[in-house]
């Protein structure tokens, strides 16, 4: 019997145009440009120019996935803890996968029920966080996965240096066994170090940037080590890739939503996009999405590097229903400069029913006969309808459940939408020159060779006057 095909994501766009000054006319102005951008994305996907696009089929064809699963299993046999040392695109995808697909208290569960290794992350260069984790871990049961394509990312390199020093002190004869690297196949500083010391390396495809890398070994290896549904994640992504291979932008969910966000920004002043899932499991998805969108479309220059653009809308991370009580007042009655995107989950993992009326105070009787799922879904429906009444635009993504399959669809949709939106803006959605500039100044302050001029520039800047210091 053929396997039952799992449900696809649905996109309800009925409350976008006609609200908050954003009209169908605004969107129609982008028809020719959108069709051109759509054709470009599809062509680049078909010809292999979009590295992230081919990742689902890459892993699900041949024996590649089985090999990676076997390698993850081998790590799990030797160690109980996996620590990802990385930041940004090297960590956000892993955190998102664990939050969405793992048990809420994954690391606290006993070995026999956890289903995989404990998974921790060293991301920010906060000494308190670093020391707290290092003091918590049993290093004899721990392997560190250092993830950096270049090997030179300051936050990752700094923490790797500290981890390396600790391992050499604790395990002078076999410190190498407690390290694996995920890095560029040939370039960067980690590759020669690994070769010299016999450290296992996993490849990051050269044509896949960090914020698009969740479907490479960057995200997949830690997820497999933790025992998450990676195969379902890739299958969902593959189905969405097929769905997004339609160059008719109006019937392609990634391209149409991308066009809506660009047009709403440039034509109607909706320069902020509020992502609001109504499920705790999708909390970290909003952070992963925020980097993907912000770093991809927020650009000063056009794709040729000659025209000033200053484009991009700002992603805002929220969580329903929590942020109904902290931010929704602003969205309802504040400046009409936002487009809201609701993520609604059809079925949660387990049903929690409210008690019967006889066990409730009288003013809580209305809960009787309902469940927690009904309550959070009612809150989402009510928020969207209230925004509509207040003339505020939004659209809704319906997930059948928070599963590997639906999450794979959602992540691939977001990446395809972002690439398309970048081309529609007229910029390069795959570079990050602004981030690189900040890194160069930081390297200069730390006296890294080759970056002395950046330190001199900071030193020569005018000091604040006394009246400018409060």
């Amino acid at each position: 019997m053929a396997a039952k095909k799992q449900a696809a994501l649905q996109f309800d766009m009925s409350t976008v145009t006609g609200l908050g000054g954003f009209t169908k006319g605004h969107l129609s102005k982008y028809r020719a440009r959108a069709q051109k951008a759509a054709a470009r994305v599809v062509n680049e996907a078909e010809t292999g120019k979009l590295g992230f696009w081919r990742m689902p089929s890459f892993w699900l064809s041949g024996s590649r996935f089985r090999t990676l699963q076997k390698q993850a299993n081998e790590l799990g046999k030797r160690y109980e803890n996996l620590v990802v040392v990385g930041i940004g695109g090297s960590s956000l995808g892993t955190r998102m996968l664990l939050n969405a697909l793992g048990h809420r208290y994954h690391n606290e569960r006993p070995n026999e029920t956890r289903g995989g290794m404990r998974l921790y992350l060293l991301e920010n260069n906060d000494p308190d966080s670093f020391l707290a984790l290092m003091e918590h871990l049993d290093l004899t049961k721990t392997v560190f996965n250092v993830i950096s394509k270049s090997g030179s990312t300051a936050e990752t390199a700094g923490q790797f240096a500290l981890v390396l020093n600790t391992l050499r002190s604790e395990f002078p004869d076999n410190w190498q066994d407690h390290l694996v690297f995920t890095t560029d196949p040939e370039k960067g500083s980690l590759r020669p170090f690994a070769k010299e010391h016999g450290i296992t390396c996993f490849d990051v495809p050269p044509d896949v940037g960090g914020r698009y890398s969740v479907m490479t070994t960057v995200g997949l290896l830690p997820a497999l080590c933790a025992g998450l549904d990676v195969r379902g994640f890739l299958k969902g992504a593959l189905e969405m890739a097929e769905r997004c291979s339609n160059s008719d932008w109006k019937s392609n969910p990634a391209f149409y939503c991308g066009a809506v966000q660009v047009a709403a920004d440039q034509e109607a002043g909706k320069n902020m996009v509020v992502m609001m899932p109504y499920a705790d499991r999708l909390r970290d998805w909003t952070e992963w999405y925020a980097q993907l969108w912000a770093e991809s479309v927020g650009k000063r220059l056009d794709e040729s590097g000659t025209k000033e653009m200053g484009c991009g809308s700002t992603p805002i991370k929220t969580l329903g229903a929590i942020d109904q009580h902290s931010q929704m007042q602003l969205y309802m009655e504040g400046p009409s400069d936002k487009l809201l995107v609701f993520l609604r989950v059809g079925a949660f993992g387990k049903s929690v029913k409210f008690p019967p009326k006889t066990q409730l105070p009288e003013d809580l009787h209305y809960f009787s006969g309902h469940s927690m799922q009904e309550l959070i879904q009612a809150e989402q429906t009510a928020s969207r309808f209230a925004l509509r009444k207040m003339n505020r635009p939004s659209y809704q993504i319906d997930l059948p459940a928070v599963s590997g399959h639906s999450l794979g669809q959602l992540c691939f949709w977001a990446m395809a939408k972002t690439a398309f939106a970048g081309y529609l803006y007229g910029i390069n959605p795959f570079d990050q020159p602004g981030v690189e500039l900040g890194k160069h100044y930081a390297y200069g302050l730390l006296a890294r060779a080759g970056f002395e001029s950046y330190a001199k520039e900071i030193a020569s800047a005018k000091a604040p006057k006394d009246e400018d210091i409060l």
Side-chain angles (χ1 to χ4, degrees), residues 388-403:
R388 181 179 179 180
K389 292 285 286 185
M390 296 299 291
N391 198 32
R392 306 297 165 107
S394 69
Y395 67 88
Q396 178 173 307
I397 306 172
D398 287 287
L399 291 77
V402 180
S403 65

Side-chain angles (χ1 to χ4, degrees), residues 439-460:
K439 288 181 180 179
H440 293 169
Y441 285 119
Y443 293 150
L445 291 172
L446 293 171
R448 181 178 177 182
F451 295 87
E452 295 84 357
S453 63
Y454 292 92
K456 291 178 181 178
E457 187 180 346
I458 291 177
S460 64

Side-chain angles (χ1 to χ4, degrees), residues 305-326:
T306 59
K307 182 181 177 182
E308 289 281 344
M309 299 292 289
C311 70
S313 54
T314 301
I316 298 176
K317 302 170 287 184
T318 65
L319 179 64
I322 290 173
D323 286 310
Q324 285 182 206
H325 300 271
S326 66

Side-chain angles (χ1 to χ4, degrees), residues 178-258:
H178 292 265
L179 288 168
V180 296
F181 294 163
T182 303
T183 189
D184 188 274
E186 298 178 0
K187 302 176 183 178
S189 60
L190 291 178
R191 184 67 58 170
F193 185 87
K195 187 175 182 180
E196 179 184 356
H197 296 287
I199 297 169
T200 299
C201 273
F202 297 89
D203 295 345
V204 181
D207 59 350
V208 181
R211 59 188 179 273
Y212 292 89
S213 68
V214 68
M215 293 174 191
T216 72
T217 50
V218 170
L220 301 186
L221 176 65
L224 284 170
C225 287
L228 308 181
D229 181 19
V230 175
R231 185 180 289 276
F233 177 68
L234 290 170
K235 286 183 176 179
L238 183 61
E239 289 182 18
M240 183 56 76
E242 294 168 352
R243 187 176 176 186
C244 292
S245 297
N246 175 8
S247 60
D248 176 16
W249 68 280
K250 280 192 171 182
S251 59
N252 184 315
F255 299 168
Y256 189 78
C257 292

